[in-house]
């Protein structure tokens, strides 16, 4: 684990992950703190893959107030939390932890879904009600966003994945939330959608899933949970296919962080200036 020091004079927070050096969370929360007049110290801590529970316990006993959790620890964070919010329970993953009752109780929440919804509906003005939505991939990120997506009353949500069985597990979990189904990528030709959300990790390799021509309806939007300097591979594909909007995940990153900040500090920061700052730095 990365060695770290807490600031003894103010409240301490962190993000734990592996890898974590690329994380934008310290910058985001520093900007939130300046904007809202909150005094806190936020740092990134790299944790050994078999040492997450120990690292959280150490951070708590040393006086840490709360933390964000990134890959690969979100599901383990769910298991070690003493109490879960309903959205964390549905997601089966936790990205926000805080401590109460003299740091003896560990609470877990998942702000990924609300972060996505706010970026889609507020920042990008996409009305989700009545839309045909395609979700690419069936990993942990997808489970975190399905509940909030279905709560927006789309016409249907289709999960496309290389392994159909994995997508069908998610369908079973959310069957009572709305019209949701699973397909393999090979079943996509002939179908079209108003919104396509890429939740796969292929973009890290500059790749996209095997998507057919004609997948996008007129004025369709595309959203990539990933982000990069310049356009991601999926955003580039979407623009080539004539998407009305093609957006990366910077906004979701900032919005989910804002919800975490609100949980910890009781004040909701302005997200648009921070999203603009990050986009400028990544241009």
């Amino acid at each position: 684990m990365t060695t770290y020091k807490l600031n003894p004079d103010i409240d301490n927070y962190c993000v734990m992950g592996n890898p974590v050096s690329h994380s934008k969370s310290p910058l985001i929360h520093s900007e939130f703190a300046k904007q809202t007049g909150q005094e806190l110290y936020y740092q990134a801590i790299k944790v050994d893959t078999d040492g997450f529970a120990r690292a959280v316990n150490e951070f708590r006993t040393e006086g840490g107030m709360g933390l964000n959790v990134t890959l690969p620890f979100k599901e383990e964070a769910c298991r070690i939390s003493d109490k879960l919010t309903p959205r964390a329970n549905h997601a089966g993953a936790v990205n926000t932890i805080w401590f109460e009752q003299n740091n003896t109780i560990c609470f877990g929440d998942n702000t990924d879904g609300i972060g996505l919804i706010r970026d889609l509906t507020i920042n990008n003005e996409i009305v989700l009600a009545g839309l045909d939505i395609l979700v690419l991939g069936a990993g942990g990120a997808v489970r975190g966003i399905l509940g909030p997506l279905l709560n927006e009353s789309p016409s249907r949500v289709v999960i496309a994945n290389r392994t159909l069985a994995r997508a069908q597990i998610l369908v079973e979990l959310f069957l009572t939330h709305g019209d949701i189904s699973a397909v393999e990528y090979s079943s996509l030709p002939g179908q079209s959608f108003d919104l396509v959300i890429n939740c796969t990790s292929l973009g890290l390799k500059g790749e996209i899933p095997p998507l057919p021509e004609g997948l996008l309806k007129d004025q369709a939007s595309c959203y990539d949970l990933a982000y990069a300097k310049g356009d991601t591979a999926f955003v580039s594909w979407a623009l080539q296919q004539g998407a009305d909007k093609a957006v990366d995940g910077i906004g979701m990153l900032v919005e989910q962080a804002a919800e975490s900040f609100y949980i910890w500090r009781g004040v909701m920061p302005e997200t648009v200036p921070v999203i603009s700052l990050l986009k400028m730095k990544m241009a």
Side-chain angles (χ1 to χ4, degrees), residues 72-92:
F73 300 120
K74 290 184 179 183
E75 292 180 358
E76 186 175 353
C78 188
R79 294 193 296 271
I80 70 167
S81 295
D82 299 310
K83 294 187 178 182
L84 295 172
T85 63
R87 58 190 179 189
N89 196 43
H90 278 133

Side-chain angles (χ1 to χ4, degrees), residues 123-267:
N123 300 332
N124 292 287
E125 300 180 327
I126 298 171
V127 178
L128 299 175
L131 297 190
D132 290 331
I133 300 176
L134 175 64
V135 176
L136 306 175
V142 177
R143 184 170 173 180
I145 67 170
L146 282 177
L149 267 181
L150 289 163
N151 287 344
E152 295 294 308
S153 303
S155 176
R156 63 177 176 138
V157 172
V158 177
I159 306 170
N161 195 52
R162 184 172 49 83
T163 307
L164 183 60
R166 194 165 182 189
Q168 287 173 327
I169 290 171
L170 293 177
V171 169
E172 292 297 321
L173 286 172
F174 291 91
L175 209 49
T176 59
H177 289 64
D179 187 338
I180 183 170
S181 59
V183 299
E184 295 176 322
Y185 290 119
S186 59
S187 299
L188 287 176
Q191 298 196 58
S192 59
F193 297 88
D194 301 293
L195 173 63
V196 182
I197 303 174
N198 179 37
C199 303
T200 72
S201 59
L202 290 173
L204 298 174
K205 298 181 285 186
E207 301 173 2
I208 62 168
L211 303 175
E213 298 287 323
L215 191 63
L216 304 183
K217 292 185 179 182
D218 289 343
Q219 297 185 311
S221 299
C222 291
Y223 193 97
D224 195 345
L225 262 60
Y227 55 89
K229 281 207 168 192
D231 291 338
T232 65
F234 178 72
V235 166
S236 294
W237 172 87
L239 293 171
Q240 291 166 7
Q241 295 293 312
D244 188 51
K245 293 181 180 179
V247 184
D248 69 17
I250 283 288
M252 175 182 170
L253 175 71
V254 175
E255 292 292 346
Q256 63 81 23
E259 182 73 2
S260 296
F261 191 89
Y262 175 73
I263 290 168
W264 294 332
R265 309 302 294 184
V267 57

Side-chain angles (χ1 to χ4, degrees), residues 4-22:
Y4 64 91
K5 289 183 179 180
L6 301 190
N7 185 326
D9 300 320
I10 54 177
D11 293 341
N12 286 264
Y13 299 88
C14 73
V15 57
M16 290 187 181
N18 188 342
V20 78
S21 60
H22 67 287

